Amino acid sequence: MKTLTITRPDDWHTHVRNGALLKTVLPDTAKQFARAIIMPNLKPPVTTVAQALIYRDEILQAVPVDMDFTPLMTLYLTGTTSEADIKLAAESDAVVAFKLYPAGATTNSDAGVANIKAIYPALSALEKYDLPLLIHGEVTDEHCDIFDRERLFIETHLNDIVKNFPALRIVLEHVTTNEAVQFVSASANTIAATITPQHLLFNRNALLAGGIRPHYYCLPILKREQHRLALVAAATSGNPKFFLGTDSAPHLSTLKETACGCAGCYSAHAAIELYAEAFERADALDQLEGFASFYGADFYRLPRNITTVTLEKQSWIVPSAYGAGDSTITPLKAGETLSWKLR
Ligand code: NCD
Ligand code: ZN
């Protein structure tokens, strides 16, 4: 049987929620990833070190006893985040970064930043304390076409941020466009990006052609094929600025299969297998280990993992749902066949 053994990967962007949903999804992340960057967009958002420590404990409680998993916590940047908050975070071993959501850009972002220029003092403090800034890079202007929101964020906000804070380490999360790939590639080594499995595997036809498929709806939204191709080229290039971040974002199936469905794809059930599929299609399986296991750790200045995982070339059918009763989650590629399986 064909196998692929790589250093154990990390997930540099994921949503594991809390409460019952956390218990359902966390084992999927913990079985394959040694560490994961945990997004802070709970209700209410995780804005302080004290809240992050409580949330971290809840996550650790959900790790199955036979698994070894470290959650890396992030704090939610708001219009009132102070330099003192940032100093406390920098001094905490549990918190590794701050997350900037433009207000209204995505799921649970109401508490996000309405005026980006107004938080420049906080960005200056992040630069001073050397804490990375993770950005959901989409403008929120309701008149802006949803397919242009990432490109416009780069033009309107990111260019300025990068110019004003040259030493600030920034991760442009879940990039979806050729323009984002170009911007990150041309920037200094302080700027990196994560790429999701869905944006490597699908274009917007998966969401909209032949019927509307809510389980392919996430933000930033799937784009045209030319953008998918740019993302595949970046992910498989060996350029350490691009690394794995699933953006696995579970929502109950009932909340996605409705007249106004939630944004987010659940991919933690088969994340590394989905990436393996995308890399194999690009004839670049030899680049998977750098993307999945090395470049993110290097950017966050954390040690690379030393254990390994093995994938087997073996067909399996993704379950149609996870969870029980009316609390189920529909995973990416539900009911479809995958060609790689984590041993
Ligand atoms: C994420 C969520 O559900 O929390 N949704 C998504 O579509 N990606 C939020 C986010 O990362 O934008
Ligand atoms: Zn996300």
Side-chain angles (χ1 to χ4, degrees), residues 13 15 17 41 99 101 106-107 136 174 218-219 247 249 251 263-264:
H13 181 131
H15 303 263
R17 314 303 190 202
N41 63 331
K99 177 69 188 274
Y101 290 100
T106 186
T107 306
H136 183 112
H174 40 55
C218 66
L219 291 172
D247 193 22
H251 292 278

mmCIF file of all heavy atoms in Angstrom, residues 13 15 17 41 99 101 106-107 136 174 218-219 247 249 251 263-264, ligand 1:
data_model
loop_
_atom_site.group_PDB
_atom_site.id
_atom_site.type_symbol
_atom_site.label_atom_id
_atom_site.label_comp_id
_atom_site.label_asym_id
_atom_site.label_seq_id
_atom_site.Cartn_x
_atom_site.Cartn_y
_atom_site.Cartn_z
ATOM 1 N N HIS A 13 -5.196 27.690 12.129
ATOM 2 C CA HIS A 13 -6.449 28.477 12.179
ATOM 3 C C HIS A 13 -7.616 27.506 12.300
ATOM 4 O O HIS A 13 -7.969 26.834 11.332
ATOM 5 C CB HIS A 13 -6.614 29.316 10.909
ATOM 6 C CG HIS A 13 -7.860 30.158 10.889
ATOM 7 N ND1 HIS A 13 -7.852 31.495 10.582
ATOM 8 C CD2 HIS A 13 -9.160 29.863 11.143
ATOM 9 C CE1 HIS A 13 -9.077 31.977 10.636
ATOM 10 N NE2 HIS A 13 -9.910 30.994 10.981
ATOM 11 N N HIS A 15 -11.653 26.733 14.408
ATOM 12 C CA HIS A 15 -12.735 27.071 15.343
ATOM 13 C C HIS A 15 -13.184 25.774 15.992
ATOM 14 O O HIS A 15 -13.638 24.864 15.286
ATOM 15 C CB HIS A 15 -13.924 27.693 14.599
ATOM 16 C CG HIS A 15 -13.553 28.912 13.815
ATOM 17 N ND1 HIS A 15 -13.734 30.196 14.289
ATOM 18 C CD2 HIS A 15 -12.994 29.041 12.585
ATOM 19 C CE1 HIS A 15 -13.301 31.055 13.373
ATOM 20 N NE2 HIS A 15 -12.848 30.385 12.335
ATOM 21 N N ARG A 17 -15.238 25.965 18.869
ATOM 22 C CA ARG A 17 -16.459 26.317 19.620
ATOM 23 C C ARG A 17 -16.313 25.960 21.101
ATOM 24 O O ARG A 17 -15.221 25.714 21.587
ATOM 25 C CB ARG A 17 -17.698 25.653 19.013
ATOM 26 C CG ARG A 17 -17.816 25.738 17.499
ATOM 27 C CD ARG A 17 -17.805 27.139 16.953
ATOM 28 N NE ARG A 17 -18.166 27.164 15.527
ATOM 29 C CZ ARG A 17 -17.857 28.131 14.695
ATOM 30 N NH1 ARG A 17 -17.167 29.189 15.097
ATOM 31 N NH2 ARG A 17 -18.224 28.089 13.437
ATOM 32 N N ASN A 41 -13.684 33.678 18.383
ATOM 33 C CA ASN A 41 -15.012 34.269 18.090
ATOM 34 C C ASN A 41 -16.157 33.477 18.721
ATOM 35 O O ASN A 41 -17.081 33.058 18.043
ATOM 36 C CB ASN A 41 -15.208 34.438 16.575
ATOM 37 C CG ASN A 41 -15.200 33.129 15.805
ATOM 38 O OD1 ASN A 41 -14.561 32.172 16.213
ATOM 39 N ND2 ASN A 41 -15.903 33.096 14.687
ATOM 40 N N LYS A 99 -6.533 38.408 17.126
ATOM 41 C CA LYS A 99 -7.285 38.247 15.874
ATOM 42 C C LYS A 99 -8.101 39.499 15.583
ATOM 43 O O LYS A 99 -8.865 39.967 16.444
ATOM 44 C CB LYS A 99 -8.216 37.039 15.993
ATOM 45 C CG LYS A 99 -9.119 36.797 14.783
ATOM 46 C CD LYS A 99 -8.346 36.331 13.553
ATOM 47 C CE LYS A 99 -9.208 36.267 12.310
ATOM 48 N NZ LYS A 99 -9.938 35.036 12.146
ATOM 49 N N TYR A 101 -11.051 40.964 13.479
ATOM 50 C CA TYR A 101 -12.218 40.791 12.622
ATOM 51 C C TYR A 101 -12.789 42.172 12.336
ATOM 52 O O TYR A 101 -13.197 42.866 13.279
ATOM 53 C CB TYR A 101 -13.333 40.010 13.334
ATOM 54 C CG TYR A 101 -13.062 38.548 13.572
ATOM 55 C CD1 TYR A 101 -12.643 38.104 14.817
ATOM 56 C CD2 TYR A 101 -13.264 37.611 12.567
ATOM 57 C CE1 TYR A 101 -12.419 36.752 15.058
ATOM 58 C CE2 TYR A 101 -13.038 36.261 12.792
ATOM 59 C CZ TYR A 101 -12.616 35.834 14.040
ATOM 60 O OH TYR A 101 -12.395 34.504 14.268
ATOM 61 N N THR A 106 -17.959 38.386 9.449
ATOM 62 C CA THR A 106 -18.195 36.947 9.418
ATOM 63 C C THR A 106 -18.917 36.486 10.681
ATOM 64 O O THR A 106 -19.416 37.324 11.451
ATOM 65 C CB THR A 106 -16.847 36.214 9.210
ATOM 66 O OG1 THR A 106 -17.076 34.813 9.043
ATOM 67 C CG2 THR A 106 -15.899 36.408 10.394
ATOM 68 N N THR A 107 -18.996 35.177 10.896
ATOM 69 C CA THR A 107 -19.674 34.594 12.057
ATOM 70 C C THR A 107 -19.146 35.195 13.371
ATOM 71 O O THR A 107 -17.938 35.243 13.577
ATOM 72 C CB THR A 107 -19.433 33.057 12.084
ATOM 73 O OG1 THR A 107 -19.840 32.523 10.829
ATOM 74 C CG2 THR A 107 -20.207 32.404 13.213
ATOM 75 N N HIS A 136 -8.758 38.635 9.549
ATOM 76 C CA HIS A 136 -9.810 38.251 8.597
ATOM 77 C C HIS A 136 -9.872 39.405 7.602
ATOM 78 O O HIS A 136 -10.430 40.461 7.891
ATOM 79 C CB HIS A 136 -11.154 38.053 9.304
ATOM 80 C CG HIS A 136 -12.225 37.586 8.355
ATOM 81 N ND1 HIS A 136 -12.787 36.339 8.406
ATOM 82 C CD2 HIS A 136 -12.792 38.211 7.283
ATOM 83 C CE1 HIS A 136 -13.663 36.213 7.417
ATOM 84 N NE2 HIS A 136 -13.691 37.333 6.726
ATOM 85 N N HIS A 174 -6.847 32.535 5.875
ATOM 86 C CA HIS A 174 -7.673 31.925 4.823
ATOM 87 C C HIS A 174 -7.717 32.767 3.540
ATOM 88 O O HIS A 174 -8.771 33.262 3.152
ATOM 89 C CB HIS A 174 -9.090 31.614 5.320
ATOM 90 C CG HIS A 174 -9.739 32.643 6.209
ATOM 91 N ND1 HIS A 174 -9.879 33.950 5.852
ATOM 92 C CD2 HIS A 174 -10.286 32.550 7.440
ATOM 93 C CE1 HIS A 174 -10.479 34.610 6.818
ATOM 94 N NE2 HIS A 174 -10.735 33.788 7.797
ATOM 95 N N CYS A 218 -18.709 29.448 3.009
ATOM 96 C CA CYS A 218 -17.838 29.913 4.081
ATOM 97 C C CYS A 218 -17.386 31.312 3.701
ATOM 98 O O CYS A 218 -17.611 31.763 2.583
ATOM 99 C CB CYS A 218 -16.625 28.991 4.245
ATOM 100 S SG CYS A 218 -15.516 29.023 2.829
ATOM 101 N N LEU A 219 -16.748 31.986 4.639
ATOM 102 C CA LEU A 219 -16.193 33.308 4.358
ATOM 103 C C LEU A 219 -14.701 33.309 4.638
ATOM 104 O O LEU A 219 -14.288 32.723 5.634
ATOM 105 C CB LEU A 219 -16.893 34.369 5.224
ATOM 106 C CG LEU A 219 -18.358 34.607 4.825
ATOM 107 C CD1 LEU A 219 -19.058 35.508 5.836
ATOM 108 C CD2 LEU A 219 -18.453 35.207 3.410
ATOM 109 N N ASP A 247 -9.355 26.587 8.962
ATOM 110 C CA ASP A 247 -10.574 27.377 9.175
ATOM 111 C C ASP A 247 -11.776 26.448 9.347
ATOM 112 O O ASP A 247 -12.901 26.817 8.985
ATOM 113 C CB ASP A 247 -10.807 28.381 8.040
ATOM 114 C CG ASP A 247 -11.876 29.417 8.405
ATOM 115 O OD1 ASP A 247 -12.118 29.624 9.616
ATOM 116 O OD2 ASP A 247 -12.476 29.995 7.488
ATOM 117 N N ALA A 249 -14.891 25.248 10.666
ATOM 118 C CA ALA A 249 -15.843 26.150 11.340
ATOM 119 C C ALA A 249 -17.200 25.461 11.449
ATOM 120 O O ALA A 249 -18.091 25.686 10.627
ATOM 121 C CB ALA A 249 -15.947 27.456 10.560
ATOM 122 N N HIS A 251 -20.870 24.326 12.242
ATOM 123 C CA HIS A 251 -22.198 24.859 12.588
ATOM 124 C C HIS A 251 -23.150 23.677 12.523
ATOM 125 O O HIS A 251 -22.956 22.780 11.692
ATOM 126 C CB HIS A 251 -22.657 25.909 11.570
ATOM 127 C CG HIS A 251 -21.863 27.174 11.596
ATOM 128 N ND1 HIS A 251 -22.103 28.183 12.504
ATOM 129 C CD2 HIS A 251 -20.825 27.585 10.834
ATOM 130 C CE1 HIS A 251 -21.250 29.174 12.281
ATOM 131 N NE2 HIS A 251 -20.459 28.840 11.279
ATOM 132 N N ALA A 263 -22.107 30.868 7.813
ATOM 133 C CA ALA A 263 -20.875 30.687 7.041
ATOM 134 C C ALA A 263 -19.915 29.802 7.811
ATOM 135 O O ALA A 263 -19.672 30.026 8.997
ATOM 136 C CB ALA A 263 -20.235 32.040 6.784
ATOM 137 N N GLY A 264 -19.323 28.834 7.133
ATOM 138 C CA GLY A 264 -18.285 28.001 7.749
ATOM 139 C C GLY A 264 -18.376 26.575 7.240
ATOM 140 O O GLY A 264 -19.465 26.021 7.174
HETATM 141 C C1 NCD B 1 -16.024 31.195 10.642
HETATM 142 C C2 NCD B 1 -16.930 30.765 11.807
HETATM 143 O O1 NCD B 1 -17.951 30.115 11.552
HETATM 144 O O2 NCD B 1 -16.579 31.021 12.953
HETATM 145 N N1 NCD B 1 -16.772 31.081 9.419
HETATM 146 C C3 NCD B 1 -16.253 30.995 8.160
HETATM 147 O O3 NCD B 1 -17.041 31.021 7.203
HETATM 148 N N2 NCD B 1 -14.960 30.894 7.933
HETATM 149 C C4 NCD B 1 -15.518 32.571 10.876
HETATM 150 C C5 NCD B 1 -14.388 32.965 9.953
HETATM 151 O O4 NCD B 1 -13.282 32.466 10.064
HETATM 152 O O5 NCD B 1 -14.623 33.804 9.076
#
